[in-house]
Amino acid sequence: MLELVTYHENSPLLFTQVLFWVLFGSIILIYQFIYKNITTRNVLLLLASLYFYYMSSGFYFVLLLFSTIIDYYIGKKIFDSNDKKTRKLLVSISAVINLSLLAYFKYTFFFTDGLNTLFNLEIEQENYLAAFFNSLFDAGMDTSNIFLPIGISFYTFQTISYSVDIYRGDIKPVDNIWDFALFVSFFPQLVAGPIVRASEFIPQIHQQYKLKESEYGHALFLIAAGLVKKIMISDYISINFVDRIFESPWSYSGFENLMATYGYAIQIYCDFSGYTDIAIGVALLLGFRLPLNFNSPYKATDITDFWRRWHISLSSFLRDYLYIPLGGNRKGKVRTYINLFITMLLGGLWHGAHFRFIIWGCLHGGALAIHKLWMEYAGKKIGHFKYQNIIGGIITFHFVCYAWIYFRAEDMQHANSMISQILTNMDLSIALEVIMAYKYVFIVMGFGFFIHWIPQHWKDKLALEFITMPDFAKAAFLFFVGFILFQSRSSDIQPFIYFQF
């Protein structure tokens, strides 16, 4: 019993743990008796959300409470004030407080490590500059030991957007702090998104629970699809192939490095979109509709199209709260290109505190600027030509894969080594040998890309087939997926070993 209320740092409570589904099943059971009473329902969801976040991040759930209280009262003050300077000051305070928390936990080591590298220093007490920053940021403790609270990047953006939207006059503040706390902490999307805006979520808090039979089936389909993506595809490819190559790219041929790059492309998609599918499905079962977050991004025919499809809630957030405030495309063409570059650079830094994320962001920012320049000049002259979408899709996919190398690599040395191996040591003579040695990995990779690239109407038909299945068939399939999940978490056997082709 104590295990159910004790946080374990090495085993946070996530969608891929059996315990999560046992607890979620308990919530759904209780839900059947109280969902008609909106207040009781919301209290249950708030308590469950705080519990799940505590089990995911431990004591750091206090930070979630802190951000909730601060932004709730700042939001009310912004709305009540008629003075423009005061309103601007308040929204600035909200941004500074939230971004400072994010910066401390996410970027302290990045900056202190950079300073120590710049001045050739070590983090020791006798080293005055290093000791100063070390004591400033973490009271004498090595900043490399700072724990990054799960989901802090997501709820920080949500609370900032709430204050900004009130400042802009797009929304009114919530009626009470409990509603706001539920918006900030709603457990299905708290850990891995999508980033939900107050205007989308808060009105649903006061709506009666409604779930059509087709929506119920769709929710189960999303959960099943998300688990398949995450466990059977992403985790399997990662553990059995991708991680090995990225850990030591110089030990493998260029062909193996290239295949690992393709593998990571489908791995990260199945990882991110899998979690999102589960989040949307779980939320839907609870009566809440979350926005689409991934839309077959590798079908993109250009880099702009890619960012309309990849992590949609993040890209739209960066557009509305960073790119447009910077000036967007309203201050001339050169400024537009600069704004695109800055937006993506900061978007890269949001993903992690490492120079390689900055490189990744710069690559995408530069590509977006170049594509916009191309469309404004060369694109108008050339027009639409035959096979443009196919050629554009191939170029876009390989550019994205190239950028993924920097995103995934442990450091710049690993990234440069992988690129060097691909360019100078391809050695296709061993391709068949490699494919046969990792035949199950390549089958899973192929399956992942296949389900990604099939036409949308095929996917819709597959979803409809699942939705219209008898309940016992749905239950059997979910039980099968759950069995694979349980086995993969309770033993060293990897999930896909059950499928012997």
Side-chain angles (χ1 to χ4, degrees):
M1 188 66 181
L2 188 61
E3 291 292 313
L4 296 179
V5 293
T6 305
Y7 164 70
H8 299 282
E9 183 177 348
N10 296 326
S11 183
L13 186 61
L14 301 173
F15 291 153
T16 51
Q17 287 191 322
V18 175
L19 178 60
F20 172 86
W21 296 105
V22 172
L23 294 172
F24 179 66
S26 302
I27 291 173
I28 288 293
L29 183 62
I30 299 172
Y31 217 66
Q32 305 304 310
F33 300 98
I34 55 93
Y35 71 90
K36 292 182 180 179
N37 187 311
I38 294 176
T39 300
T40 305
R41 178 198 71 184
N42 291 343
V43 169
L44 172 65
L45 290 178
L46 176 57
L47 293 175
S49 296
L50 294 177
Y51 166 77
F52 278 118
Y53 191 67
Y54 166 73
M55 294 294 286
S56 298
S57 289
F59 175 77
Y60 290 96
F61 90 105
V62 172
L63 295 176
L64 179 73
L65 299 180
F66 175 77
S67 293
T68 299
I69 294 170
I70 290 294
D71 283 283
Y72 171 73
Y73 286 105
I74 287 180
K76 288 184 66 68
K77 292 292 184 182
I78 292 172
F79 184 77
D80 293 339
S81 176
N82 294 319
D83 182 67
K84 188 174 182 179
K85 290 183 178 179
T86 301
R87 288 164 57 84
K88 185 174 289 187
L89 175 62
L90 287 168
V91 78
S92 298
I93 291 173
S94 171
V96 168
I97 290 175
N98 284 285
L99 292 177
S100 295
L101 279 176
L102 182 62
Y104 172 73
F105 286 98
K106 203 164 189 175
Y107 305 111
T108 295
F109 176 73
F110 176 70
F111 288 116
T112 54
D113 186 56
L115 285 168
N116 287 303
T117 300
L118 178 65
F119 292 100
N120 194 28
L121 301 174
E122 297 291 338
I123 302 181
E124 297 175 356
Q125 291 303 318
E126 63 267 26
N127 190 314
Y128 295 109
L129 182 63
F132 169 74
F133 282 101
N134 195 36
S135 61
L136 175 65
F137 288 123
D138 208 45
M141 188 174 69
D142 185 345
T143 54
S144 64
N145 293 323
I146 291 178
F147 175 82
L148 178 63
I150 292 176
I152 189 171
S153 298
F154 291 98
Y155 72 72
T156 295
F157 272 16
Q158 287 189 190
T159 55
I160 291 175
S161 69
Y162 173 78
S163 299
V164 172
D165 286 349
I166 293 176
Y167 171 78
R168 292 174 174 174
D170 295 336
I171 62 172
K172 294 181 179 180
V174 295
D175 296 332
N176 57 73
I177 194 170
W178 310 114
D179 288 349
F180 184 66
L182 180 56
F183 158 65
V184 175
S185 65
F186 189 54
F187 72 89
Q189 53 78 222
L190 178 61
V191 170
I195 300 170
V196 181
R197 303 189 189 190
S199 59
E200 299 171 325
F201 185 85
I202 290 176
Q204 299 185 61
I205 292 177
H206 303 289
Q207 293 175 355
Q208 286 288 344
Y209 179 86
K210 293 180 181 179
L211 189 66
K212 299 177 183 177
E213 186 175 350
S214 60
E215 289 181 314
Y216 168 75
H218 183 59
L220 294 181
F221 177 79
L222 286 172
I223 292 171
L227 289 171
V228 168
K229 285 181 183 177
K230 179 67 180 73
I231 300 169
M232 297 185 189
I233 300 177
S234 180
D235 288 354
Y236 184 80
I237 294 172
S238 173
I239 295 169
N240 293 285
F241 186 66
V242 172
D243 289 353
R244 301 176 187 179
I245 310 297
F246 272 90
E247 284 174 7
S248 181
W250 46 81
S251 301
Y252 298 89
S253 68
F255 177 76
E256 290 164 296
N257 277 273
L258 180 62
M259 292 302 102
T261 303
Y262 291 151
Y264 182 67
I266 196 63
Q267 175 205 324
I268 191 172
Y269 165 74
C270 287
D271 194 336
F272 285 9
S273 70
Y275 265 112
T276 296
D277 287 348
I278 297 169
I280 295 173
V282 167
L284 188 54
L285 289 178
L286 296 171
F288 291 81
R289 281 76 180 170
L290 301 184
L292 178 70
N293 207 28
F294 290 88
N295 184 21
S296 303
Y298 297 138
K299 290 183 180 178
T301 56
D302 56 63
I303 195 64
T304 302
D305 187 28
F306 174 80
W307 278 102
R308 293 192 187 107
R309 295 167 174 267
W310 177 269
H311 214 320
I312 299 169
S313 63
L314 172 63
S315 57
S316 62
F317 182 95
L318 294 174
R319 179 196 65 209
D320 295 342
Y321 298 98
L322 187 56
Y323 174 69
I324 292 176
L326 284 172
N329 58 2
R330 304 187 306 274
K331 297 187 177 182
K333 294 178 179 178
V334 175
R335 181 65 180 273
T336 298
Y337 306 143
I338 294 173
N339 291 341
L340 282 170
F341 187 81
I342 293 173
T343 299
M344 292 310 301
L345 185 154
L346 294 175
L349 194 59
W350 176 83
H351 281 89
H354 200 289
F355 187 65
R356 56 191 173 84
F357 288 113
I358 296 177
I359 295 293
W360 178 82
C362 288
L363 285 171
H364 278 277
L368 286 168
I370 291 171
H371 177 252
K372 194 171 187 65
L373 181 65
W374 167 268
M375 294 302 295
E376 289 179 355
Y377 294 98
K380 291 180 180 179
K381 295 179 181 180
I382 298 174
H384 189 89
F385 57 89
K386 193 176 183 180
Y387 305 122
Q388 176 179 319
N389 288 344
I390 295 175
I391 295 172
I394 292 172
I395 293 172
T396 301
F397 174 71
H398 282 86
F399 169 80
V400 170
C401 286
Y402 166 69
W404 282 141
I405 294 175
Y406 291 99
F407 193 93
R408 170 60 180 83
E410 294 182 16
D411 51 41
M412 292 302 295
Q413 179 187 358
H414 284 71
N416 292 333
S417 177
M418 175 167 272
I419 294 168
S420 176
Q421 288 292 89
I422 293 173
L423 294 177
T424 64
N425 186 27
M426 183 54 64
D427 193 10
L428 293 177
S429 64
I430 65 168
L432 183 59
E433 180 183 345
V434 171
I435 292 172
M436 292 307 297
Y438 293 100
K439 57 183 177 181
Y440 294 131
V441 171
F442 280 95
I443 289 172
V444 177
M445 283 173 55
F447 175 70
F449 279 116
F450 173 76
I451 63 173
H452 181 83
W453 276 324
I454 59 175
Q456 185 59 46
H457 68 272
W458 288 19
K459 297 181 182 181
D460 294 338
K461 186 176 181 180
L462 180 63
L464 183 60
E465 288 291 333
F466 180 88
I467 291 170
T468 55
M469 288 170 74
D471 286 344
F472 76 87
K474 293 190 186 81
F477 182 77
L478 290 172
F479 176 80
F480 170 73
V481 174
F483 173 74
I484 300 299
L485 170 62
F486 176 78
Q487 290 294 329
S488 67
R489 296 301 172 189
S490 62
S491 70
D492 294 330
I493 301 175
Q494 298 310 318
F496 223 84
I497 200 170
Y498 296 103
F499 298 87
Q500 298 297 330
F501 295 93

